[in-house]
Amino acid sequence: MNIPTGTQHILTLGDQHAVVAAVGASLREYRVGSRDVALPYPADAMAPAFSGAVLAPWPNRLRDGEYDRDGVTYEVPVSEHGRSTALHGLVAYVAFEEVATTSQSVTLAHTIVPTPGYPWSVRVQVTYTLTDDGLRVLTEAENVGLGIAPYGVGFHPWLSPGDSAVDDCTLQLGAARHVTVDDRLLPTGDEPVDGVADLRSPRSLRGIAFDDAWVESLRDEDGLTWARLTGGDGRTVALWADDACAAWQVCTGDGIPHIQRRGVAIEPMSCIADAFRTGDDLVELAEGGTHTITWGLRLE
């Protein structure tokens, strides 16, 4: 009998252990020793709240599931009915096929086929690799069809606070501007970080609920942008992303079934919500064109 998460791909290196599920090319488990880095979920249940999934060809929300291209209006299914949005693209709950695997690495791929709501064909290939410096994730997209395809990508790891509560954690995020939203969590603009939205230095999450985005990523000398969740045990889950990461989303899981503030989603994204409508940081994939983004996790 098939299980909801599909084929399980187990990766090991030293005391690192990761499980990548075929459905959503999802990071179902990642731990170092006995310490969870990503919040795990069962193989025999659907991934709760997009846990670990790849979000393509758009991350986050699309207003009313509608957008225009060259004078044509396209409609995709609304999946978040309370806010009337299409959430997190088309591949988070589809099975990716195995391309290559070793004990330390797996490559999975899925080709988005043209539909009335997204009439382009884009192949999305994801490689998870355990290294001595943690988990590295490379995602490559290629327009394998006709026409210029609008494209964005994001990732949805729920980071673990270990044995402590989220309220006992601090969060640091390298971004200089905070995205303002309306009551549907759709962007209305952005502003310089200030108050609880200023995460450039570690900030306690006690009593703070986020489902927010940040832009203008700050980068180190290697061009990487970083987020760090430090638990009450003093261990830090560090997430980095390369220059294809234009934005971050942070969600503390308040009120979300099966999460309920047990972890913090820190989502590297190539664009923020509604990019199919606004065009902000939207990738235009020409026929045969490609896009790559790399991010990673480690326990400090």
Side-chain angles (χ1 to χ4, degrees), residues 61 83 158 166 169-173 178-179 181 185 193-199 201 203-214 229 248-256 261 263-267:
R61 295 172 172 87
R83 296 189 176 102
W158 285 94
V166 166
C169 293
T170 63
L171 176 62
Q172 180 272 325
L173 183 76
H178 174 247
V179 176
V181 296
L185 299 184
V193 293
D194 191 27
V196 297
D198 186 355
L199 301 174
S201 297
R203 175 176 292 277
S204 171
L205 290 177
R206 185 169 297 278
I208 295 175
F210 282 133
D211 195 350
D212 295 71
W214 284 259
L229 180 72
W248 293 99
Q249 184 83 14
V250 174
C251 181
T252 49
D254 297 69
I256 296 178
R261 209 171 170 86
V264 179
I266 302 182
E267 308 164 41

Side-chain angles (χ1 to χ4, degrees), residues 19-295:
V19 180
V20 178
V23 173
S26 171
L27 181 63
R28 195 175 67 75
E29 295 181 16
Y30 178 41
R31 65 177 183 266
V32 178
S34 61
R35 173 56 154 88
D36 286 326
V37 179
L39 203 64
Y41 65 93
D44 60 357
M46 289 190 295
F50 297 90
S51 289
V54 178
L55 316 175
W58 71 87
N60 215 287
R61 295 172 172 87
L62 175 59
R63 183 187 302 268
D64 300 322
E66 294 183 357
Y67 61 101
D68 292 332
R69 295 280 295 179
D70 301 322
V72 178
T73 298
Y74 298 100
E75 297 182 12
V76 296
V78 168
S79 55
E80 190 185 34
H81 294 280
R83 296 189 176 102
S84 186
T85 69
L87 189 59
H88 289 328
L90 302 173
V91 304
Y93 290 98
V94 302
F96 282 59
E97 297 293 328
E98 180 182 318
V99 175
T101 186
T102 70
S103 62
Q104 298 173 211
S105 180
V106 65
T107 299
L108 303 175
H110 174 76
T111 299
I112 301 168
V113 300
T115 62
Y118 188 81
W120 299 277
S121 187
V122 175
R123 177 179 170 83
V124 181
Q125 180 168 292
V126 189
T127 300
Y128 290 89
T129 305
L130 289 178
T131 75
D132 290 337
D133 198 35
L135 179 68
R136 181 178 184 271
V137 187
L138 167 66
T139 301
E140 304 163 282
E142 181 183 3
N143 182 350
V144 294
L146 302 176
I148 299 174
Y151 178 79
V153 65
F155 308 87
H156 210 298
W158 285 94
L159 304 189
S160 172
D163 293 332
S164 57
V166 166
D167 273 354
D168 296 324
C169 293
T170 63
L171 176 62
Q172 180 272 325
L173 183 76
R177 299 189 69 83
H178 174 247
V179 176
T180 57
V181 296
D182 61 18
D183 58 0
R184 297 164 64 187
L185 299 184
L186 292 164
T188 59
D190 58 70
E191 60 191 0
V193 293
D194 191 27
V196 297
D198 186 355
L199 301 174
R200 291 173 295 180
S201 297
R203 175 176 292 277
S204 171
L205 290 177
R206 185 169 297 278
I208 295 175
F210 282 133
D211 195 350
D212 295 71
W214 284 259
V215 292
E216 200 170 302
S217 298
L218 304 176
R219 303 191 180 277
D220 64 15
E221 61 275 11
D222 297 317
L224 303 179
T225 181
W226 290 83
R228 289 180 169 89
L229 180 72
T230 300
D233 60 359
R235 303 300 299 273
T236 296
V237 176
L239 192 159
W240 58 267
D242 69 6
D243 58 5
C245 172
W248 293 99
Q249 184 83 14
V250 174
C251 181
T252 49
D254 297 69
I256 296 178
H258 308 296
I259 300 296
Q260 298 292 4
R261 209 171 170 86
R262 292 188 301 113
V264 179
I266 302 182
E267 308 164 41
M269 306 183 297
S270 67
C271 57
I272 61 170
D274 228 17
F276 274 24
R277 295 172 65 99
T278 67
D280 293 341
D281 291 315
L282 186 66
V283 175
E284 302 279 356
L285 279 178
E287 294 177 14
T290 60
H291 175 270
T292 64
I293 183 171
T294 307
W295 62 279

